[in-house]
Amino acid sequence: MLVRITLVSLAAASSAFADGPSAVAPVMAPTAVSMTENTIDWSGSYGGLTVGGATLEGEAERSGYSGPLLTLDVENGLFPGRIDDPSHAGIAGLRYGRNGQRGDWVTGFEIDVAFAEVTADAEFSRIDPNPAAPFTGVDTITGYRTELDSFASARLRAGYATGPSLLYLTGGIAVADVSNTFSLDLPNLGAPLSPYSNAWTEEGVRFGYVLGAGFERKVMERVSLSADVVRFDLEDVDILASDSTIFGGDEISYEFTNAGYLARLGINFAF
């Protein structure tokens, strides 16, 4: 009896082995966890650092003049109607923002500060053809200088997210510390005025607007890299030059356009 039971058991085991390992459940290797489009969330607050470059357009346009002497000087080409001399410099800054997400659309606001020293400095030189002394043959040098020392903006953002990538438009108000200077040098002016040099400066905080676009991509759940380009346009400044010593009662004025671009790379940390 025992031998018969044993033989039946061996036969059953042999039949199971002959049918193959299909009855044994397969063991699956663990899958690495990664960010997917369904798990990425752009909502919440973030802060970051930026580096990049600033371009200052350095534009000035003659806005008016009066008096016989300056009228003759303008006709003789000593004071240009317009000058444009862009300048570039590096910048570094900080930013803070907050996003809200609804489906694939992301909206929010951002505040940033950029530290920069950008100076657009241009000169225009002509020999005075005025036949009246003491101006005959005098080298007339006019200077146009715009300095931007710091920049800040408060902007709205709106964009479209595709997984870890975000394309957005941005716009808002801008403010900067700006100095504008118009100068006149007559280095070889004859006696009793030689040499003559003077400068007229307006400086202060200027407000305006900023518009731009950017791209941001998450490289970790709470870390993203960004790139943006914005254009800023601040208040124009009109400088009136008047000096009784050299001009008599004549006056001339130039309007400075305080505008330019910022191009930045950034790293943001969500919290």
Side-chain angles (χ1 to χ4, degrees):
M1 186 68 177
L2 179 59
V3 173
R4 182 178 297 175
I5 294 174
T6 302
L7 291 175
V8 170
S9 300
L10 289 174
S14 298
S15 176
F17 182 79
D19 291 339
S22 58
V24 181
V27 178
M28 302 298 293
T31 303
V33 178
S34 61
M35 289 193 302
T36 66
E37 293 190 8
N38 295 329
T39 63
I40 293 175
D41 184 9
W42 287 92
S43 61
S45 300
Y46 62 91
L49 307 173
T50 60
V51 294
T55 297
L56 198 57
E57 293 182 348
E59 294 183 4
E61 184 172 355
R62 192 180 63 235
S63 55
Y65 57 91
S66 64
L69 178 59
L70 282 176
T71 297
L72 180 60
D73 287 342
V74 170
E75 292 174 352
N76 287 333
L78 302 182
F79 294 90
R82 183 177 181 273
I83 198 160
D84 183 351
D85 188 22
S87 180
H88 314 279
I91 59 172
L94 305 171
R95 64 169 43 142
Y96 167 80
R98 184 171 180 82
N99 291 322
Q101 184 168 357
R102 194 167 192 174
D104 294 327
W105 295 98
V106 178
T107 57
F109 71 90
E110 187 169 281
I111 301 170
D112 69 274
V113 178
F115 305 98
E117 291 186 5
V118 194
T119 301
D121 202 351
E123 284 190 352
F124 184 84
S125 178
R126 288 291 186 273
I127 301 298
D128 194 341
N130 190 342
F135 301 105
T136 304
V138 172
D139 190 9
T140 305
I141 305 170
T142 54
Y144 311 84
R145 184 181 181 91
T146 298
E147 298 176 77
L148 187 148
D149 292 331
S150 59
F151 176 91
S153 71
R155 296 171 284 105
L156 297 177
R157 295 202 319 168
Y160 185 80
T162 55
S165 299
L166 173 66
L167 285 171
Y168 64 87
L169 299 176
T170 184
I173 59 173
V175 59
D177 186 10
V178 182
S179 173
N180 301 112
T181 300
F182 170 66
S183 63
L184 175 63
D185 290 288
L186 308 174
N188 61 333
L189 183 65
L193 302 175
S194 179
Y196 176 85
S197 180
N198 204 350
W200 298 264
T201 299
E202 295 285 347
E203 58 183 339
V205 175
R206 310 296 177 196
F207 292 87
Y209 69 86
V210 58
L211 296 172
F215 172 78
E216 190 170 352
R217 184 174 178 86
K218 284 185 178 290
V219 293
M220 297 176 64
E221 183 179 358
R222 294 186 177 273
V223 180
S224 63
L225 301 179
S226 65
D228 69 347
V229 177
V230 298
R231 172 176 170 77
F232 62 87
D233 196 338
L234 307 173
E235 299 170 83
D236 295 343
V237 173
D238 196 74
I239 295 181
L240 178 66
S242 177
D243 187 338
S244 59
T245 302
I246 192 70
F247 293 154
D250 296 5
E251 297 177 338
I252 189 167
S253 59
Y254 275 87
E255 185 176 64
F256 288 75
T257 301
N258 297 311
Y261 295 88
L262 302 180
R264 299 172 292 192
L265 299 175
I267 181 169
N268 300 324
F269 303 92
F271 53 88

